Amino acid sequence: MEFSFLHPIDSDFVQEINQLSSQHFGSKVVFHTDQAFPDLDKIKIAIIGVLENRGAANAIDEVDLSKIRSELYTLFPGNWDASIADLGDIHSGNTPEDTYFALKKLVTFLIKKKIIPIIIGGSQDLVYPLYRAYDELEQMVNLVSIDSKFDFGKEKDPLSSESYLTKIIIDEPNNLFNYCNIGYQTYYNSQEEIDLIEKLFFDAYRLGEISNNIALAEPVFRDADLVSLDLNVIKSSDSGNFTTFTPNGFNGKEICALSRYAGISDKVSMFSIFNHQNSKQESVLIAQIIWYFIEGFHCRSNEYPFGNRENYIKYIVPIEDDELLFYKSSKTERWWIDVPFFLNNDNKSKRNALLPCSYDEYLSACNQEMPERWWKAQRKSII
């Protein structure tokens, strides 16, 4: 497939990387250069820069990803064996829609080839074309956003970093099965928006909840397809972003842990980082966020989707007038709960799906407390 809209990595930069030792991460990466394009048949992870930022309210003049690449490729990799390519950058098109089209075309091709794109830079409205990339796969999509805001807008608002979620919800074809926000801060979101999250049976975790027990996020990522990280969710003292000052937010350690959870998930097929403000400090942190995602990828256990269930212990929990079925992996000791779905609202046409959960949710069920995520999932119909 032709990707003429992809701009290669600067040749001087590639020369600098080639002068690093063979132990550095940069020596393990295949770069898109003026002379060559990576053989994608051999690639498992593709890093892509997108310089489109016209959808941001406080857009900087120009997105610069060179500092991120410098920091990332001078790190040392873990015990990694996956082939990784840097495909260069998608520059801003004549209109934002041109950029959306190019980005969607590229990531659709990559996920069909089972290559995981890591998207860096640009404004967060780019989540919309990333979501639309799943259209050709004909699957329902679970979107997880690590963000201090829900990014709802009015129905007639143009697509932007502050309204993309509304467009995802209302536009056809509607392939969104679940949206989960991790790290929202209540004072940045109206009560109407918080109520809408509940009404749509979506999931949301406040910053304090996750900071107090970061393991709460692991089952959420285990069920995600697309993960979007808004860098404004990180407090400014850790990110170095004082253009959009954020006194509260995740610290560097927490955001890297969340990134690793996303990487570990067998189901996550795309990871994206948005709203970079070009600061040196933020570039260092972004490089480490990407490092932890790739590290997580190399720790995947390939437990999804379930094949046979011989390697899982089944637990039956009587609750009210029903029974809840839990499964515990003998390999990783992670938990799942069985969720019945009724097709087309027909009580006779039922199928079951397994929803990732935590050990604490199993204990709550043993105490006759219905898991909230199970309750919400059961009320969503799959047609």
Side-chain angles (χ1 to χ4, degrees):
M1 181 171 283
E2 180 65 29
F3 296 122
S4 57
F5 51 79
L6 274 171
H7 291 248
I9 304 296
D10 182 76
S11 56
D12 290 340
F13 176 79
V14 175
Q15 276 191 336
E16 289 178 18
I17 297 301
N18 289 337
Q19 292 173 4
L20 297 173
S21 79
S22 61
Q23 300 299 313
H24 284 95
F25 179 32
S27 67
K28 317 293 184 184
V29 176
V30 183
F31 292 96
H32 171 202
T33 66
D34 289 325
Q35 287 76 37
F37 191 86
D39 181 357
L40 294 180
D41 290 333
K42 299 177 181 178
I43 299 301
K44 294 294 183 184
I45 297 173
I47 297 170
I48 304 145
V50 187
L51 309 188
E52 176 65 65
N53 69 340
R54 284 172 284 187
N58 300 314
I60 54 178
D61 292 337
E62 185 178 350
V63 180
D64 179 10
L65 304 180
S66 60
K67 296 187 185 75
I68 298 173
R69 286 187 166 103
S70 294
E71 295 295 336
L72 177 61
Y73 296 136
T74 53
L75 296 176
F76 292 96
N79 187 22
W80 302 345
D81 58 11
S83 298
I84 301 169
D86 189 329
L87 301 186
D89 297 327
I90 298 176
H91 286 204
S92 298
N94 291 329
T95 66
E97 288 71 23
D98 292 335
T99 313
Y100 301 155
F101 176 82
L103 180 59
K104 178 188 172 184
K105 179 181 177 181
L106 175 61
V107 296
T108 298
F109 177 81
L110 293 175
I111 57 180
K112 279 185 174 180
K113 289 183 71 68
K114 300 191 183 304
I115 298 172
I116 297 180
I118 299 177
I119 312 297
I120 318 169
S123 45
Q124 204 173 12
D125 50 303
L126 295 170
V127 174
Y128 182 75
L130 296 182
Y131 161 72
R132 288 269 75 106
Y134 289 91
D135 289 352
E136 294 185 29
L137 275 68
E138 297 181 351
Q139 69 170 71
M140 300 301 287
V141 179
N142 289 338
L143 167 62
V144 172
S145 179
I146 309 171
D147 200 336
S148 58
K149 300 178 181 179
F150 296 131
D151 297 320
F152 284 121
K154 295 179 181 178
E155 189 171 336
K156 295 182 180 179
D157 286 349
L159 178 59
S160 73
S161 62
E162 297 183 347
S163 67
Y164 72 88
L165 185 56
T166 298
K167 192 166 179 62
I168 286 176
I169 292 171
I170 65 176
D171 275 12
E172 297 289 341
N174 192 336
N175 302 326
L176 184 67
F177 180 67
N178 190 46
Y179 165 79
C180 180
N181 175 286
I182 292 178
Y184 82 94
Q185 298 178 41
T186 306
Y187 38 73
Y188 289 145
N189 301 277
S190 69
Q191 189 58 50
E192 182 182 8
E193 292 173 318
I194 296 171
D195 292 341
L196 183 58
I197 290 289
E198 287 295 317
K199 183 179 179 180
L200 295 172
F201 303 117
F202 289 159
D203 302 309
Y205 295 83
R206 291 179 63 177
L207 171 67
E209 288 181 90
I210 302 298
S211 293
N212 289 335
N213 182 11
I214 202 160
L216 286 173
E218 188 277 327
V220 175
F221 288 112
R222 216 186 317 156
D223 203 36
D225 298 291
L226 166 59
V227 176
S228 167
L229 165 60
D230 182 344
L231 292 165
N232 290 322
V233 79
I234 306 166
K235 60 183 178 180
S236 292
S237 58
D238 279 38
S239 71
N241 174 12
F242 293 96
T243 303
T244 308
F245 181 67
T246 306
N248 292 303
F250 289 120
N251 62 34
K253 180 180 178 181
E254 291 165 344
I255 205 67
C256 287
L258 294 175
S259 176
R260 188 174 186 275
Y261 280 148
I264 286 174
S265 168
D266 295 319
K267 195 166 184 279
V268 168
S269 53
M270 203 181 317
F271 184 68
S272 52
I273 303 171
F274 296 114
N275 292 329
H276 173 43
Q277 295 295 323
N278 292 350
S279 75
K280 166 75 172 178
Q281 186 173 334
E282 192 172 63
S283 298
V284 174
L285 182 55
I286 293 170
Q288 294 184 12
I289 290 169
I290 295 169
W291 190 97
Y292 272 100
F293 178 84
I294 298 173
E295 171 78 1
F297 172 83
H298 284 85
C299 296
R300 290 189 173 189
S301 57
N302 299 315
E303 291 184 313
Y304 181 91
F306 274 56
N308 64 65
R309 300 187 182 181
E310 293 179 1
N311 296 323
Y312 301 86
I313 304 171
K314 181 179 179 179
Y315 294 82
I316 303 173
V317 180
I319 184 168
E320 297 179 357
D321 297 326
D322 204 349
E323 288 183 342
L324 298 184
L325 303 182
F326 288 86
Y327 292 88
K328 178 186 175 184
S329 167
S330 302
K331 182 179 181 182
T332 63
E333 298 190 352
R334 296 189 296 185
W335 288 78
W336 283 262
I337 185 172
D338 188 275
V339 181
F341 289 106
F342 297 97
L343 309 184
N344 298 315
N345 296 318
D346 179 359
N347 289 338
K348 295 180 181 180
S349 301
K350 187 175 81 168
R351 61 177 285 191
N352 288 53
L354 289 169
L355 179 72
C357 67
S358 65
Y359 174 60
D360 286 344
E361 286 173 302
Y362 164 73
L363 292 179
S364 295
C366 292
N367 290 325
Q368 300 299 293
E369 297 176 17
M370 193 71 76
E372 184 177 357
R373 290 180 67 241
W374 178 92
W375 181 86
K376 288 180 177 179
Q378 193 186 32
R379 277 152 181 78
K380 297 171 186 171
S381 60
I382 298 182
I383 299 176

